[in-house]
Amino acid sequence: MTSLQIRRPPAPATGAGGRRTNTRSSASRAEGRWGYLFLTPWFVGLVVLTAGPMLVSLYYSFTDFSLLSTPNWVGLDNYERMFTADDRFFAAVRVTLTYVIVSVPLQLAFALGIAVLLNRALRGISAYRALYYLPSLLGGSVAVAVLWRQVFGREGAVNVVLRGLGWENPPTWIADPDFALYTLILLRVWEFGSPMVIFLAGLRQVPQEYYEAAEVDGASPVQRFFRITIPVITPVIFLNAILQLIGAFQAFNSAFIISGGTGGPLDSTLFYTLYLYIEGFTNFRMGYASALAWVLLGIIAAFTAVNFALSRFWVHYEDGGR
């Protein structure tokens, strides 16, 4: 006959060792309380300045709130009107998608090219890097948008140069529906400083042994760029693409200044954010503007999700993406 023996769990440590354990636990709890105390301003900001207004905006999107009267619940009317009876909504989506799809790849390619040029041991290279970063600091400002409007006006610097080259009657770029959007795309490309700095940091991380081995094998500079540099920095390219994609969807200042806040001519520069502003603060349809904002959030989330899904086919990580 066998006997079952049940062992008691070991008694908690007592004495000097137990006191040290309790002291460490008390210190850990005190450290945790200090950590939460320092995080409190961030939590308050998240709730009061971000989460709270988002929830209020979500509620307003189902109302006819106009800033001047009490909001009334209208259900999905704002969303129904948006997708079935608002031609300017589709115009804004079309203009914004064109802007994003054209400007983001051009900006990334230009920023990468400048970063490759600056990734060399040249005298005064730090000054060059700071100089090239300036457009990113100034590009979205109101002053530069006003300057851009003057440069591409009828008597602006661009037309002065074109007339000097023999083009007698060049168009007024910002007043022509066929060209107005592309002047804004050019301004976006000119804001290449921020992605350039990120590319530069990525290029610094490419192991030089790869280049040395490829050079021994006779690879040309172009082959080394496309066979070594590009594959190694694909995580950096992906990061920049996501950041610039989201930023392009949120572009507002340039379109507002250059079009005079109307999205003209003929809605050719009617960015989504500008249309949202017009509905909310010009037409006082805050409920409808809130619905537009939530649809924009959905569009950005969808584009970001698609990019993450496609990234597994072309982004290479050292640990295999784990």
Side-chain angles (χ1 to χ4, degrees):
M1 181 176 181
T2 60
S3 61
L4 179 63
Q5 294 182 347
I6 301 176
R7 294 184 177 181
R8 293 177 180 275
T14 59
R19 284 196 296 272
R20 283 197 296 271
T21 302
N22 292 334
T23 302
R24 283 197 296 269
S25 298
S26 300
S28 177
R29 286 195 295 270
E31 187 177 351
R33 285 195 292 271
W34 277 106
Y36 284 116
L37 179 63
F38 283 110
L39 284 173
T40 299
W42 184 85
F43 282 122
V44 171
L46 174 66
V47 173
V48 175
L49 302 178
T50 303
M54 285 183 68
L55 292 176
V56 173
S57 169
L58 180 61
Y59 167 71
Y60 282 154
S61 72
F62 297 103
T63 70
D64 61 354
F65 183 45
S66 65
L67 276 181
L68 305 174
S69 61
T70 304
N72 298 308
W73 183 266
V74 295
L76 295 174
D77 285 0
N78 288 327
Y79 294 94
E80 182 179 354
R81 175 198 162 199
M82 192 185 311
F83 291 107
T84 60
D86 189 353
D87 293 336
R88 294 199 85 192
F89 164 75
F90 290 104
V93 170
R94 184 178 63 255
V95 169
T96 304
L97 288 180
T98 303
Y99 177 77
V100 171
I101 292 172
V102 176
S103 69
V104 171
L106 288 177
Q107 184 193 41
L108 292 180
F110 191 66
L112 179 58
I114 297 296
V116 170
L117 292 177
L118 295 179
N119 189 33
R120 297 180 179 183
L122 299 175
R123 179 177 297 178
I125 193 64
S126 298
Y128 286 119
R129 290 169 184 166
L131 182 65
Y132 279 100
Y133 187 67
L134 276 178
S136 184
L137 298 177
L138 302 174
S141 71
V142 174
V144 170
V146 172
L147 175 64
W148 211 254
R149 184 174 184 173
Q150 298 299 323
V151 168
F152 285 93
R154 175 170 291 281
E155 303 300 329
V158 171
N159 279 356
V160 170
V161 172
L162 292 176
R163 289 193 186 97
L165 295 175
W167 192 349
E168 295 182 356
N169 190 24
T172 304
W173 304 95
I174 59 173
D176 191 323
D178 294 330
F179 300 107
L181 178 59
Y182 296 100
T183 62
L184 298 181
I185 291 174
L186 190 60
L187 175 58
R188 180 76 188 180
V189 174
W190 189 64
E191 301 171 18
F192 64 89
S194 178
M196 181 205 69
V197 170
I198 297 176
F199 277 136
L200 199 54
L203 291 172
R204 291 283 181 176
Q205 303 303 316
V206 180
Q208 292 302 310
E209 295 83 0
Y210 294 175
Y211 294 118
E212 294 170 0
E215 193 170 357
V216 170
D217 291 339
S220 66
V222 174
Q223 289 175 320
R224 294 199 294 270
F225 178 75
F226 285 103
R227 300 290 179 86
I228 297 176
T229 304
I230 293 295
V232 172
I233 67 169
T234 48
V236 180
I237 296 174
F238 178 63
L239 170 66
N240 258 332
I242 293 296
L243 293 177
Q244 298 309 316
L245 179 78
I246 295 173
F249 270 112
Q250 297 174 329
F252 174 80
N253 285 352
S254 55
F256 182 85
I257 297 299
I258 290 180
S259 71
T262 64
L266 299 178
D267 287 346
S268 60
T269 60
L270 185 65
F271 284 6
Y272 195 99
T273 51
L274 178 57
Y275 182 52
L276 191 156
Y277 173 86
I278 292 172
E279 285 294 319
F281 295 96
T282 302
N283 299 331
F284 297 110
R285 289 195 281 259
M286 275 294 173
Y288 189 62
S290 298
L292 286 170
W294 279 96
V295 170
L296 176 61
L297 176 64
I299 293 173
I300 294 176
F303 268 79
T304 304
V306 169
N307 273 282
F308 269 94
L310 295 177
S311 67
R312 62 192 178 95
F313 295 110
W314 63 277
V315 179
H316 309 289
Y317 297 98
E318 288 186 359
D319 60 354
R322 294 188 292 273

